[in-house]
Amino acid sequence: MTSPSDEKRICAMFDSFCKKVLRNYLRDLEWAEERRDTHYPKEPIDYFLQVLQTKRFRIMR
């Protein structure tokens, strides 16, 4: 059986661990969002459909 001080210490360690995991997860999400924004254009799909319908693009295919 653990003493009350040990239980408090274990709870504090677990709390610290959970906060660390959440911070890391948030950083990963932010990194993924930044990466997505730099690699994928924000233009709507209609623009791409217009490009596909142009004569120049059809000739290149």
Side-chain angles (χ1 to χ4, degrees):
M1 184 171 215
T2 59
S3 67
S5 64
D6 286 341
E7 286 182 19
K8 286 182 183 180
R9 193 185 75 210
I10 291 171
C11 287
M13 288 170 57
F14 181 73
D15 185 52
S16 175
F17 170 76
C18 289
K19 289 177 183 176
K20 183 80 157 179
V21 168
L22 288 174
R23 276 194 303 267
N24 288 341
Y25 182 69
L26 180 61
R27 271 190 226 132
D28 288 344
L29 286 178
E30 289 172 346
W31 177 83
E33 183 179 8
E34 289 172 9
R35 186 168 170 86
R36 182 188 67 222
D37 290 345
T38 59
H39 291 285
Y40 296 105
K42 294 184 179 183
E43 298 159 345
I45 191 69
D46 295 335
Y47 171 76
F48 293 114
L49 292 176
Q50 288 174 358
V51 170
L52 289 174
Q53 293 173 355
T54 62
K55 290 181 183 178
R56 183 174 148 205
F57 187 76
R58 279 189 257 154
I59 293 170
M60 291 170 56
R61 281 199 270 171

